[in-house]
Amino acid sequence: MHDSRETFLRNAFVTGCPVKHSRSPLIHGHWLKTLGLEGSYTRQEVAPEDFAGFVSRLKSGKSGFVGGNVTLPHKERAFSLADQPDALSEELGAANTLWLEGGVLHATNTDGYGFLANLDAAASDWDRTERAVVLGAGGASRAILQAVRDRGVGEIHVVNRTFARAQELADRFGQKVHAHAMAALPEVMKGAGLFVNTTSLGMDGDEAPDFDFSPLAEGAVVTDIVYVPLITPILRQAVDQGFAVVDGLGMLLHQAAPGFEKWFGVRPAVDDALRQLILADMEKH
Ligand code: ATR
């Protein structure tokens, strides 16, 4: 039988509000071009009050889209409006990737995959540790806690300025995740092999407070999900104190790959050419 999927142009989107700063079109545009695929990936700015209508058009097949990415502030609604959210997005209560399959709208969240793939590529032994510290308990922290737990790290300590938010995540993600207030940081860092910043500290040239990474295990990896600047003040301090660091740009690149494969049928490569393309764009803005 003829595979009808091959006969029409596939179009995908990134939706958010605002969405004009999203670098996802650059990433997917690069893959479409280098793989020689026909298709498009465009920004769709959708206001919160219009999001349900956007999803319903998507489900009806009339929008012409095969799926897309979802960013702030729509990730929770994307999860709840999907017909078939997977287990990952269910636990997070948020989805960043939607795709249609046989008229059914599927949803997942690829942020945790992107986070792990970035660490695996840049510091392959990072997961030998039994202890990780995650600073911050906002939206970005969730997928990381889930992913680090699912990789099998025994103890994960989430530390946050507002303790109640850390506690809420510890309750959500189970016994391996422990909540702490900021004052506990030096104590919980003792012997940890991974330190992750998920807060906005040091973003866009802001100052970050001083961190003493010396309690971490020898050979520990420090990573930051902020990637502007690429070497954040937190990563700079870790380098100066002799620790291995992984910047956050790779997470953005890797989280995009599973969606591309769902919509366009080919698993794309996250390579240096792509990284250089995004770095060049960051120089311009
Ligand atoms: P996102 O969804 O991007 O993670 P968010 O939900 O606003 O954004 O969360 C931002 C995180 O950065 C939170 O953990 C926040 O701490 P609070 O929960 O106490 O607000 C943290 N954060 C932001 N500014 C901070 C600061 N100056 N010092 C410490 N933590 C900060």
PDB file of all heavy atoms in Angstrom, residues 55 59 78-90 95 97-109 262:
ATOM      1  N   VAL A  55      -4.929  23.838  19.539  1.00  0.00           N
ATOM      2  CA  VAL A  55      -4.774  22.381  19.681  1.00  0.00           C
ATOM      3  C   VAL A  55      -5.932  21.651  18.999  1.00  0.00           C
ATOM      4  O   VAL A  55      -5.730  20.615  18.364  1.00  0.00           O
ATOM      5  CB  VAL A  55      -4.655  21.976  21.176  1.00  0.00           C
ATOM      6  CG1 VAL A  55      -4.704  20.457  21.353  1.00  0.00           C
ATOM      7  CG2 VAL A  55      -3.368  22.538  21.767  1.00  0.00           C
ATOM      8  N   LYS A  59      -5.599  18.858  16.104  1.00  0.00           N
ATOM      9  CA  LYS A  59      -6.191  17.511  16.185  1.00  0.00           C
ATOM     10  C   LYS A  59      -7.083  17.208  14.982  1.00  0.00           C
ATOM     11  O   LYS A  59      -7.154  16.066  14.528  1.00  0.00           O
ATOM     12  CB  LYS A  59      -7.044  17.395  17.453  1.00  0.00           C
ATOM     13  CG  LYS A  59      -6.258  17.247  18.730  1.00  0.00           C
ATOM     14  CD  LYS A  59      -7.245  16.981  19.872  1.00  0.00           C
ATOM     15  CE  LYS A  59      -6.577  17.012  21.221  1.00  0.00           C
ATOM     16  NZ  LYS A  59      -7.513  16.705  22.316  1.00  0.00           N
ATOM     17  N   ALA A  78      -0.617  21.892  27.041  1.00  0.00           N
ATOM     18  CA  ALA A  78      -0.309  20.949  25.951  1.00  0.00           C
ATOM     19  C   ALA A  78      -0.437  19.520  26.467  1.00  0.00           C
ATOM     20  O   ALA A  78      -1.000  18.641  25.797  1.00  0.00           O
ATOM     21  CB  ALA A  78       1.089  21.197  25.410  1.00  0.00           C
ATOM     22  N   PHE A  79       0.072  19.301  27.670  1.00  0.00           N
ATOM     23  CA  PHE A  79      -0.042  17.970  28.279  1.00  0.00           C
ATOM     24  C   PHE A  79      -1.509  17.611  28.492  1.00  0.00           C
ATOM     25  O   PHE A  79      -1.958  16.532  28.118  1.00  0.00           O
ATOM     26  CB  PHE A  79       0.723  17.926  29.605  1.00  0.00           C
ATOM     27  CG  PHE A  79       0.217  16.869  30.531  1.00  0.00           C
ATOM     28  CD1 PHE A  79       0.465  15.529  30.270  1.00  0.00           C
ATOM     29  CD2 PHE A  79      -0.562  17.213  31.631  1.00  0.00           C
ATOM     30  CE1 PHE A  79      -0.046  14.542  31.102  1.00  0.00           C
ATOM     31  CE2 PHE A  79      -1.072  16.222  32.461  1.00  0.00           C
ATOM     32  CZ  PHE A  79      -0.812  14.894  32.196  1.00  0.00           C
ATOM     33  N   SER A  80      -2.277  18.550  29.081  1.00  0.00           N
ATOM     34  CA  SER A  80      -3.644  18.169  29.459  1.00  0.00           C
ATOM     35  C   SER A  80      -4.579  18.065  28.260  1.00  0.00           C
ATOM     36  O   SER A  80      -5.574  17.346  28.305  1.00  0.00           O
ATOM     37  CB  SER A  80      -4.208  19.105  30.529  1.00  0.00           C
ATOM     38  OG  SER A  80      -4.192  20.427  30.089  1.00  0.00           O
ATOM     39  N   LEU A  81      -4.250  18.738  27.155  1.00  0.00           N
ATOM     40  CA  LEU A  81      -5.132  18.683  25.978  1.00  0.00           C
ATOM     41  C   LEU A  81      -4.783  17.535  25.015  1.00  0.00           C
ATOM     42  O   LEU A  81      -5.560  17.220  24.116  1.00  0.00           O
ATOM     43  CB  LEU A  81      -5.078  20.019  25.221  1.00  0.00           C
ATOM     44  CG  LEU A  81      -5.680  21.230  25.964  1.00  0.00           C
ATOM     45  CD1 LEU A  81      -5.305  22.543  25.265  1.00  0.00           C
ATOM     46  CD2 LEU A  81      -7.196  21.108  26.063  1.00  0.00           C
ATOM     47  N   ALA A  82      -3.615  16.926  25.218  1.00  0.00           N
ATOM     48  CA  ALA A  82      -3.216  15.837  24.312  1.00  0.00           C
ATOM     49  C   ALA A  82      -4.097  14.609  24.540  1.00  0.00           C
ATOM     50  O   ALA A  82      -4.589  14.383  25.644  1.00  0.00           O
ATOM     51  CB  ALA A  82      -1.752  15.478  24.542  1.00  0.00           C
ATOM     52  N   ASP A  83      -4.283  13.814  23.476  1.00  0.00           N
ATOM     53  CA  ASP A  83      -5.070  12.585  23.622  1.00  0.00           C
ATOM     54  C   ASP A  83      -4.262  11.514  24.337  1.00  0.00           C
ATOM     55  O   ASP A  83      -4.785  10.761  25.139  1.00  0.00           O
ATOM     56  CB  ASP A  83      -5.459  12.029  22.233  1.00  0.00           C
ATOM     57  CG  ASP A  83      -6.262  13.028  21.430  1.00  0.00           C
ATOM     58  OD1 ASP A  83      -7.203  13.611  22.003  1.00  0.00           O
ATOM     59  OD2 ASP A  83      -5.935  13.245  20.240  1.00  0.00           O
ATOM     60  N   GLN A  84      -2.964  11.444  23.988  1.00  0.00           N
ATOM     61  CA  GLN A  84      -2.135  10.383  24.559  1.00  0.00           C
ATOM     62  C   GLN A  84      -0.803  10.911  25.045  1.00  0.00           C
ATOM     63  O   GLN A  84       0.217  10.763  24.371  1.00  0.00           O
ATOM     64  CB  GLN A  84      -1.925   9.281  23.533  1.00  0.00           C
ATOM     65  CG  GLN A  84      -2.890   8.140  23.762  1.00  0.00           C
ATOM     66  CD  GLN A  84      -2.569   6.930  22.930  1.00  0.00           C
ATOM     67  OE1 GLN A  84      -1.435   6.479  22.854  1.00  0.00           O
ATOM     68  NE2 GLN A  84      -3.580   6.408  22.289  1.00  0.00           N
ATOM     69  N   PRO A  85      -0.798  11.519  26.242  1.00  0.00           N
ATOM     70  CA  PRO A  85       0.482  11.928  26.816  1.00  0.00           C
ATOM     71  C   PRO A  85       1.235  10.678  27.292  1.00  0.00           C
ATOM     72  O   PRO A  85       0.599   9.738  27.772  1.00  0.00           O
ATOM     73  CB  PRO A  85       0.076  12.812  28.006  1.00  0.00           C
ATOM     74  CG  PRO A  85      -1.318  12.404  28.340  1.00  0.00           C
ATOM     75  CD  PRO A  85      -1.946  11.861  27.082  1.00  0.00           C
ATOM     76  N   ASP A  86       2.549  10.643  27.144  1.00  0.00           N
ATOM     77  CA  ASP A  86       3.289   9.463  27.616  1.00  0.00           C
ATOM     78  C   ASP A  86       3.555   9.576  29.118  1.00  0.00           C
ATOM     79  O   ASP A  86       3.217  10.588  29.753  1.00  0.00           O
ATOM     80  CB  ASP A  86       4.583   9.265  26.807  1.00  0.00           C
ATOM     81  CG  ASP A  86       5.627  10.335  27.094  1.00  0.00           C
ATOM     82  OD1 ASP A  86       5.326  11.290  27.857  1.00  0.00           O
ATOM     83  OD2 ASP A  86       6.746  10.227  26.564  1.00  0.00           O
ATOM     84  N   ALA A  87       4.175   8.537  29.672  1.00  0.00           N
ATOM     85  CA  ALA A  87       4.367   8.488  31.132  1.00  0.00           C
ATOM     86  C   ALA A  87       5.268   9.612  31.633  1.00  0.00           C
ATOM     87  O   ALA A  87       5.071  10.147  32.727  1.00  0.00           O
ATOM     88  CB  ALA A  87       4.943   7.131  31.514  1.00  0.00           C
ATOM     89  N   LEU A  88       6.275   9.979  30.845  1.00  0.00           N
ATOM     90  CA  LEU A  88       7.194  11.054  31.266  1.00  0.00           C
ATOM     91  C   LEU A  88       6.439  12.362  31.451  1.00  0.00           C
ATOM     92  O   LEU A  88       6.562  13.035  32.474  1.00  0.00           O
ATOM     93  CB  LEU A  88       8.286  11.283  30.204  1.00  0.00           C
ATOM     94  CG  LEU A  88       9.383  10.245  30.074  1.00  0.00           C
ATOM     95  CD1 LEU A  88      10.297  10.608  28.912  1.00  0.00           C
ATOM     96  CD2 LEU A  88      10.182  10.142  31.373  1.00  0.00           C
ATOM     97  N   SER A  89       5.664  12.741  30.433  1.00  0.00           N
ATOM     98  CA  SER A  89       4.942  14.016  30.512  1.00  0.00           C
ATOM     99  C   SER A  89       3.843  13.955  31.577  1.00  0.00           C
ATOM    100  O   SER A  89       3.532  14.943  32.224  1.00  0.00           O
ATOM    101  CB  SER A  89       4.381  14.422  29.153  1.00  0.00           C
ATOM    102  OG  SER A  89       3.485  13.465  28.657  1.00  0.00           O
ATOM    103  N   GLU A  90       3.304  12.764  31.776  1.00  0.00           N
ATOM    104  CA  GLU A  90       2.264  12.588  32.803  1.00  0.00           C
ATOM    105  C   GLU A  90       2.826  12.918  34.191  1.00  0.00           C
ATOM    106  O   GLU A  90       2.212  13.633  34.967  1.00  0.00           O
ATOM    107  CB  GLU A  90       1.776  11.143  32.758  1.00  0.00           C
ATOM    108  CG  GLU A  90       0.559  10.884  33.568  1.00  0.00           C
ATOM    109  CD  GLU A  90      -0.572  10.340  32.682  1.00  0.00           C
ATOM    110  OE1 GLU A  90      -0.305   9.744  31.624  1.00  0.00           O
ATOM    111  OE2 GLU A  90      -1.703  10.540  33.085  1.00  0.00           O
ATOM    112  N   ALA A  95       4.232  19.064  28.761  1.00  0.00           N
ATOM    113  CA  ALA A  95       4.762  18.476  27.529  1.00  0.00           C
ATOM    114  C   ALA A  95       5.434  19.554  26.689  1.00  0.00           C
ATOM    115  O   ALA A  95       4.986  20.699  26.680  1.00  0.00           O
ATOM    116  CB  ALA A  95       3.629  17.835  26.722  1.00  0.00           C
ATOM    117  N   THR A  97       6.587  18.466  23.400  1.00  0.00           N
ATOM    118  CA  THR A  97       6.588  17.916  22.036  1.00  0.00           C
ATOM    119  C   THR A  97       5.243  17.233  21.765  1.00  0.00           C
ATOM    120  O   THR A  97       4.812  16.395  22.559  1.00  0.00           O
ATOM    121  CB  THR A  97       7.742  16.892  21.872  1.00  0.00           C
ATOM    122  OG1 THR A  97       8.976  17.548  22.187  1.00  0.00           O
ATOM    123  CG2 THR A  97       7.823  16.354  20.454  1.00  0.00           C
ATOM    124  N   LEU A  98       4.612  17.614  20.651  1.00  0.00           N
ATOM    125  CA  LEU A  98       3.318  17.043  20.247  1.00  0.00           C
ATOM    126  C   LEU A  98       3.465  16.452  18.851  1.00  0.00           C
ATOM    127  O   LEU A  98       4.174  17.030  18.021  1.00  0.00           O
ATOM    128  CB  LEU A  98       2.253  18.154  20.190  1.00  0.00           C
ATOM    129  CG  LEU A  98       1.913  18.899  21.485  1.00  0.00           C
ATOM    130  CD1 LEU A  98       0.980  20.073  21.179  1.00  0.00           C
ATOM    131  CD2 LEU A  98       1.271  17.960  22.494  1.00  0.00           C
ATOM    132  N   TRP A  99       2.788  15.343  18.608  1.00  0.00           N
ATOM    133  CA  TRP A  99       2.754  14.816  17.244  1.00  0.00           C
ATOM    134  C   TRP A  99       1.473  14.032  17.010  1.00  0.00           C
ATOM    135  O   TRP A  99       0.929  13.419  17.919  1.00  0.00           O
ATOM    136  CB  TRP A  99       3.994  13.973  16.933  1.00  0.00           C
ATOM    137  CG  TRP A  99       4.082  12.654  17.632  1.00  0.00           C
ATOM    138  CD1 TRP A  99       3.778  11.433  17.112  1.00  0.00           C
ATOM    139  CD2 TRP A  99       4.524  12.415  18.984  1.00  0.00           C
ATOM    140  NE1 TRP A  99       3.998  10.451  18.046  1.00  0.00           N
ATOM    141  CE2 TRP A  99       4.460  11.013  19.195  1.00  0.00           C
ATOM    142  CE3 TRP A  99       4.980  13.224  20.023  1.00  0.00           C
ATOM    143  CZ2 TRP A  99       4.820  10.432  20.400  1.00  0.00           C
ATOM    144  CZ3 TRP A  99       5.328  12.649  21.234  1.00  0.00           C
ATOM    145  CH2 TRP A  99       5.247  11.270  21.404  1.00  0.00           C
ATOM    146  N   LEU A 100       1.008  14.106  15.775  1.00  0.00           N
ATOM    147  CA  LEU A 100      -0.210  13.409  15.377  1.00  0.00           C
ATOM    148  C   LEU A 100       0.153  12.063  14.767  1.00  0.00           C
ATOM    149  O   LEU A 100       1.073  11.967  13.955  1.00  0.00           O
ATOM    150  CB  LEU A 100      -0.937  14.228  14.303  1.00  0.00           C
ATOM    151  CG  LEU A 100      -1.865  15.348  14.761  1.00  0.00           C
ATOM    152  CD1 LEU A 100      -2.325  16.150  13.542  1.00  0.00           C
ATOM    153  CD2 LEU A 100      -3.061  14.813  15.535  1.00  0.00           C
ATOM    154  N   GLU A 101      -0.595  11.042  15.176  1.00  0.00           N
ATOM    155  CA  GLU A 101      -0.382   9.715  14.604  1.00  0.00           C
ATOM    156  C   GLU A 101      -1.752   9.099  14.436  1.00  0.00           C
ATOM    157  O   GLU A 101      -2.448   8.870  15.436  1.00  0.00           O
ATOM    158  CB  GLU A 101       0.444   8.887  15.594  1.00  0.00           C
ATOM    159  CG  GLU A 101       1.620   8.153  14.964  1.00  0.00           C
ATOM    160  CD  GLU A 101       2.471   7.514  16.042  1.00  0.00           C
ATOM    161  OE1 GLU A 101       2.101   6.421  16.500  1.00  0.00           O
ATOM    162  OE2 GLU A 101       3.476   8.135  16.443  1.00  0.00           O
ATOM    163  N   GLY A 102      -2.160   8.895  13.220  1.00  0.00           N
ATOM    164  CA  GLY A 102      -3.489   8.335  12.980  1.00  0.00           C
ATOM    165  C   GLY A 102      -4.603   9.159  13.604  1.00  0.00           C
ATOM    166  O   GLY A 102      -5.556   8.600  14.164  1.00  0.00           O
ATOM    167  N   GLY A 103      -4.464  10.469  13.591  1.00  0.00           N
ATOM    168  CA  GLY A 103      -5.507  11.345  14.132  1.00  0.00           C
ATOM    169  C   GLY A 103      -5.485  11.483  15.642  1.00  0.00           C
ATOM    170  O   GLY A 103      -6.323  12.160  16.227  1.00  0.00           O
ATOM    171  N   VAL A 104      -4.509  10.825  16.296  1.00  0.00           N
ATOM    172  CA  VAL A 104      -4.396  10.898  17.755  1.00  0.00           C
ATOM    173  C   VAL A 104      -3.238  11.827  18.108  1.00  0.00           C
ATOM    174  O   VAL A 104      -2.144  11.695  17.554  1.00  0.00           O
ATOM    175  CB  VAL A 104      -4.139   9.480  18.343  1.00  0.00           C
ATOM    176  CG1 VAL A 104      -3.861   9.544  19.831  1.00  0.00           C
ATOM    177  CG2 VAL A 104      -5.323   8.584  18.041  1.00  0.00           C
ATOM    178  N   LEU A 105      -3.489  12.768  19.027  1.00  0.00           N
ATOM    179  CA  LEU A 105      -2.428  13.704  19.397  1.00  0.00           C
ATOM    180  C   LEU A 105      -1.633  13.151  20.585  1.00  0.00           C
ATOM    181  O   LEU A 105      -2.138  13.020  21.697  1.00  0.00           O
ATOM    182  CB  LEU A 105      -3.007  15.081  19.750  1.00  0.00           C
ATOM    183  CG  LEU A 105      -1.950  16.164  19.969  1.00  0.00           C
ATOM    184  CD1 LEU A 105      -1.138  16.430  18.698  1.00  0.00           C
ATOM    185  CD2 LEU A 105      -2.586  17.459  20.484  1.00  0.00           C
ATOM    186  N   HIS A 106      -0.357  12.837  20.304  1.00  0.00           N
ATOM    187  CA  HIS A 106       0.550  12.320  21.333  1.00  0.00           C
ATOM    188  C   HIS A 106       1.364  13.461  21.927  1.00  0.00           C
ATOM    189  O   HIS A 106       1.624  14.469  21.250  1.00  0.00           O
ATOM    190  CB  HIS A 106       1.519  11.310  20.720  1.00  0.00           C
ATOM    191  CG  HIS A 106       0.860  10.062  20.243  1.00  0.00           C
ATOM    192  ND1 HIS A 106       0.929   8.877  20.925  1.00  0.00           N
ATOM    193  CD2 HIS A 106       0.090   9.838  19.153  1.00  0.00           C
ATOM    194  CE1 HIS A 106       0.245   7.956  20.281  1.00  0.00           C
ATOM    195  NE2 HIS A 106      -0.270   8.511  19.190  1.00  0.00           N
ATOM    196  N   ALA A 107       1.814  13.271  23.177  1.00  0.00           N
ATOM    197  CA  ALA A 107       2.648  14.282  23.823  1.00  0.00           C
ATOM    198  C   ALA A 107       3.751  13.619  24.628  1.00  0.00           C
ATOM    199  O   ALA A 107       3.552  12.557  25.227  1.00  0.00           O
ATOM    200  CB  ALA A 107       1.791  15.139  24.756  1.00  0.00           C
ATOM    201  N   THR A 108       4.908  14.274  24.633  1.00  0.00           N
ATOM    202  CA  THR A 108       5.995  13.840  25.515  1.00  0.00           C
ATOM    203  C   THR A 108       6.751  15.067  25.977  1.00  0.00           C
ATOM    204  O   THR A 108       6.427  16.201  25.603  1.00  0.00           O
ATOM    205  CB  THR A 108       6.939  12.828  24.828  1.00  0.00           C
ATOM    206  OG1 THR A 108       7.826  12.277  25.825  1.00  0.00           O
ATOM    207  CG2 THR A 108       7.762  13.460  23.720  1.00  0.00           C
ATOM    208  N   ASN A 109       7.748  14.833  26.802  1.00  0.00           N
ATOM    209  CA  ASN A 109       8.625  15.916  27.218  1.00  0.00           C
ATOM    210  C   ASN A 109      10.059  15.464  26.994  1.00  0.00           C
ATOM    211  O   ASN A 109      10.481  14.449  27.559  1.00  0.00           O
ATOM    212  CB  ASN A 109       8.390  16.251  28.688  1.00  0.00           C
ATOM    213  CG  ASN A 109       8.971  17.603  29.015  1.00  0.00           C
ATOM    214  OD1 ASN A 109      10.160  17.833  28.809  1.00  0.00           O
ATOM    215  ND2 ASN A 109       8.149  18.507  29.484  1.00  0.00           N
ATOM    216  N   LYS A 262      10.011  12.416  15.034  1.00  0.00           N
ATOM    217  CA  LYS A 262       8.567  12.124  14.993  1.00  0.00           C
ATOM    218  C   LYS A 262       7.913  12.793  13.781  1.00  0.00           C
ATOM    219  O   LYS A 262       7.084  12.196  13.106  1.00  0.00           O
ATOM    220  CB  LYS A 262       7.860  12.672  16.240  1.00  0.00           C
ATOM    221  CG  LYS A 262       8.293  12.039  17.536  1.00  0.00           C
ATOM    222  CD  LYS A 262       7.599  10.704  17.743  1.00  0.00           C
ATOM    223  CE  LYS A 262       7.951  10.138  19.108  1.00  0.00           C
ATOM    224  NZ  LYS A 262       7.976   8.669  19.103  1.00  0.00           N
TER     225      LYS A 262
END
